[in-house]
Amino acid sequence: MLRELRGRRMIITGASSGIGRCLAEQAAVEGARIILAARSTDALVRLADSLKRRNLEVIPVTADVTKETDRQHLLQVAVEQLGGLDVLINNAGVASFGHFATSSEDILRQIMEVNFFAPAELIRSAIPILVKGNQPAIVNIASMCGRRGLPAWTEYSASKFALCGLTEALRGEMARFDIDVLLMVPGLTQSDLPRHLLRNDGRMKIDFQGGMGPIDVAAAVLQALQNNRTETVLGREARWMLRVNRFFPRLVDRLIARRVDKLYKKT
């Protein structure tokens, strides 16, 4: 099945920067009618204004997706101003870089709230609206950390594993409603994630600037949506890591443990 983007009514969370911003720009150019959702009002308005000047249809909505009232408001705007919803893209996310033993319950709960509970509850509330949509779809943007947990990204890995599990379970449940549920698994990406880390004291050097560009990631997400691909792994290092881990998980465990031991053995 091919999905036409023109005229599709979308909600994109985390739309003010990074992958979300690129998704909004590219989908709008393709003719989608988009609700831009993010916490940053100023950045959201600037993006919306730039797209409206190009006669593209976007609606900025300031929203913290961890809040039930904000999630309901997003869906209300979709119904009242777009007449419904066809595509929900859960992109908003947050992370922490540092070892679990020296982290905190507060950080764990914040990450799970943003990366798992918020998209889960937004999906739950959106289902009655999506059922009435045109070729409806849910797109969850996870991470390679959701398929292979990585040290110092402990809470982030846990949240993305949960999102991957939710996506797989929902795929079977939503089939009876003809709602497609798609999963994106990107590797290292040049995004704003490093600037918004809840904690940043891990020792392993992460070359975010050497990752995929958000423009390329967004293009791949929309292509997967158009082609209705169930799961898409993005990035050479993500494909390599997950392929090796699939067949040789114990080898990956040993290599990672050796790297961590080398970083910390002097302390």
Side-chain angles (χ1 to χ4, degrees):
M1 180 193 77
L2 292 178
R3 179 178 282 104
E4 174 67 46
L5 295 183
R6 182 167 297 280
R8 290 295 181 269
R9 299 161 296 181
M10 291 186 185
I11 290 176
I12 301 175
T13 68
S16 62
S17 63
I19 295 171
R21 180 187 178 98
C22 294
L23 276 169
E25 291 172 337
Q26 293 179 27
V29 168
E30 291 293 327
R33 306 167 64 201
I34 305 171
I35 293 175
L36 310 171
R39 291 183 302 173
S40 175
T41 301
D42 292 343
L44 208 57
V45 170
R46 285 195 298 271
L47 172 60
D49 287 346
S50 70
L51 294 174
K52 288 177 180 178
R53 285 195 294 270
R54 297 162 63 183
N55 294 318
L56 302 175
E57 188 173 359
V58 296
I59 303 169
V61 178
T62 303
D64 179 345
V65 290
T66 66
K67 296 180 179 178
E68 171 65 11
T69 53
D70 287 13
R71 294 193 297 265
Q72 291 299 331
H73 179 57
L74 273 178
L75 297 173
Q76 183 180 359
V77 172
V79 171
E80 292 179 354
Q81 299 194 37
L82 298 181
L85 183 66
D86 304 312
V87 178
L88 170 61
I89 301 182
N90 287 305
N91 168 71
V94 70
S96 169
F97 183 46
H99 282 211
F100 185 75
T102 54
S103 189
S104 69
E105 179 182 349
D106 181 60
I107 286 176
L108 174 60
R109 289 186 179 279
Q110 284 186 64
I111 290 174
M112 292 301 294
E113 284 289 347
V114 176
N115 295 357
F116 177 67
F117 289 114
E121 293 307 321
L122 185 55
I123 289 169
R124 195 198 309 272
S125 296
I127 289 169
I129 306 170
L130 286 167
V131 166
K132 303 173 185 177
N134 186 0
Q135 291 183 307
I138 298 163
V139 182
N140 290 330
I141 299 181
S143 164
M144 65 179 287
C145 291
R147 290 303 194 196
R148 167 71 214 197
L150 295 177
W153 297 98
T154 323
E155 298 100 340
Y156 184 71
S157 296
S159 69
K160 293 301 186 178
F161 259 87
L163 185 62
C164 289
L166 175 74
T167 305
E168 290 177 346
L170 282 176
R171 192 173 294 132
E173 290 188 22
M174 295 300 102
R176 66 192 180 102
F177 299 127
D178 291 323
I179 299 174
D180 298 311
V181 185
L182 313 181
L183 181 67
M184 303 301 300
V185 185
L188 195 63
T189 304
Q190 300 169 25
S191 70
D192 287 344
L193 187 68
R195 294 199 294 113
H196 300 289
L197 291 171
L198 299 181
R199 179 179 177 221
N200 189 9
D201 56 12
R203 295 193 180 184
M204 189 175 294
K205 183 179 179 181
I206 309 294
D207 181 20
F208 285 100
Q209 291 308 307
M212 299 175 289
I215 292 175
D216 297 326
V217 174
V221 171
L222 293 179
Q223 186 176 53
L225 178 60
Q226 288 174 300
N227 294 328
N228 207 42
R229 290 200 198 107
T230 299
E231 181 170 336
T232 306
V233 179
L234 299 175
R236 184 168 48 194
E237 84 289 342
R239 289 192 292 269
W240 176 85
M241 168 73 83
L242 297 182
R243 187 175 295 120
V244 174
N245 188 68
R246 178 180 178 185
F247 295 104
F248 306 104
R250 295 178 69 181
L251 171 63
V252 176
D253 283 342
R254 287 197 298 269
L255 292 174
I256 290 175
R258 187 182 305 167
R259 179 74 180 276
V260 172
D261 183 61
K262 185 177 180 181
L263 287 171
Y264 284 83
K265 68 179 180 180
K266 292 183 179 180
T267 62

